[in-house]
Amino acid sequence: MLRIDVITIFPGLFEAFLGESMVGIARRESLLDVGVHDLRDWTSDRHHVVDDAPYGGGPGMVMKPEPLVEAIEAVAGERSSGRKGPVILLSPQGARLDQEKVAELAREEHLVLVCGRYEGVDQRVIDLAVDEEVSIGDYVLSGGEVPAMALIEGVSRLLPGVLGNPESLTTESFQAGMLEGPQYTRPAVFRGLEVPQVLRSGDHGAVERWRAERARDLTRRRRPDLLEPSGEQMKEYTP
Ligand code: 4GX
């Protein structure tokens, strides 16, 4: 079973998320274990302060190192001595999260997710206690909590036994690295718009070829970077 521990100053943000949908099911079926920890539990001052002004001046605040390093070491162990998996800081400075990375993380035994707020964390936290930095994309959020949830959801659905339908993963690996084409369900005609005839033909081979062509076409038009045959952006992943 995968264990994920989250360190945050907003543990309440995770409550509904962890109880609902596939993540909730995975936890209830003991395929996933998640612990959420309030960083303020590792403060020792009366006001549970976790931030301070940046050296050198400038706007905003920085997360101070003492509570964060204490929390990480309490939850993950020390970097030298026998951690069971990486400590990951969610950060715009991190390596972009993609499906290959999600699949790699799903094979770990233990993940510790550190959610930063404010302008970021004291660099010594990263130097002393963080193994990797991960970003979910080039846009600015207010904290690492939503990125942590994105990572947890991506990882959870790859855990063995989580998917109700084990075929979904096979289909996905076949479609690996491409966008999915259009999907339809009943009714066959809705407000004058028809479901493509091939999908109702019962010809499974024709359906498969049509879907492959729609996927390739859409990917070429919307995300040509995913098809680029040579170069850094072409990535293989196995769920
Ligand atoms: N993908 N943010 C983190 C504070 C912060 C800054 C630096 C650690 C280091 C984000 C993203 C993101 C905003 C979360 C700044 N913490 N994280 N936060 N995009 O924008 O991961």
Side-chain angles (χ1 to χ4, degrees):
M1 172 171 45
L2 173 62
R3 164 90 191 180
I4 303 178
D5 285 288
V6 179
I7 298 169
T8 172
I9 58 169
F10 294 117
L13 284 176
F14 290 85
E15 279 174 24
F17 171 74
L18 292 175
E20 303 281 347
S21 190
M22 273 198 353
V23 172
I25 294 167
R27 291 175 66 228
R28 284 190 288 278
E29 292 184 355
S30 297
L31 303 164
L32 172 68
D33 188 15
V34 184
V36 180
H37 308 274
D38 188 339
L39 177 63
R40 295 189 198 277
D41 293 350
W42 282 275
T43 55
S44 44
D45 64 304
R46 247 172 24 97
H47 294 104
H48 302 289
V49 173
V50 296
D51 61 338
D52 203 345
Y55 269 114
M61 299 290 269
V62 174
M63 296 185 84
K64 58 201 271 94
E66 303 93 328
L68 262 178
V69 170
E70 293 283 320
I72 293 169
E73 288 179 347
V75 162
E78 290 185 36
R79 188 148 60 181
S80 51
S81 60
R83 280 182 183 171
K84 290 185 165 171
V87 171
I88 298 169
L89 176 68
L90 289 307
S91 157
Q93 279 79 45
R96 179 78 62 84
L97 187 64
D98 59 14
Q99 192 60 22
E100 181 187 40
K101 183 67 182 179
V102 169
E104 175 191 314
L105 296 177
R107 293 189 293 265
E108 295 280 359
E109 220 177 302
H110 189 203
L111 303 174
V112 175
L113 306 181
V114 180
C115 304
R117 284 263 155 181
Y118 316 110
E119 305 310 307
V121 309
D122 186 298
Q123 181 60 35
R124 292 164 296 183
V125 174
I126 299 169
D127 297 343
L128 290 168
V130 169
D131 298 305
E132 344 183 353
E133 295 175 74
V134 166
S135 165
I136 64 162
D138 294 337
Y139 38 84
V140 183
L141 302 171
S142 301
E145 285 79 7
V146 165
M149 289 184 221
L151 190 157
I152 292 169
E153 186 161 293
V155 164
S156 297
R157 56 185 292 288
L158 297 184
L159 297 177
V162 164
L163 279 180
N165 173 11
E167 230 174 277
S168 302
L169 277 182
T170 325
T171 308
E172 238 170 35
S173 77
F174 175 69
Q175 295 276 359
M178 285 217 274
L179 301 180
E180 289 266 17
Q183 307 279 346
Y184 297 89
T185 186
R186 290 182 292 183
V189 184
F190 176 67
R191 296 196 178 183
L193 297 183
E194 277 201 38
V195 173
Q197 190 53 50
V198 61
L199 297 179
R200 296 184 277 153
S201 68
D203 182 342
H204 300 303
V207 167
E208 208 172 291
R209 289 190 295 278
W210 184 86
R211 284 185 172 151
E213 179 162 357
R214 296 331 310 149
R216 178 157 285 275
D217 207 65
L218 189 67
T219 308
R220 190 165 28 208
R221 284 184 285 111
R222 298 258 179 95
R223 294 293 308 279
D225 57 302
L226 296 179
L227 291 172
E228 195 58 58
S230 62
E232 204 62 84
Q233 61 260 61
M234 181 68 164
K235 284 203 159 178
E236 287 294 326
Y237 65 87
T238 35

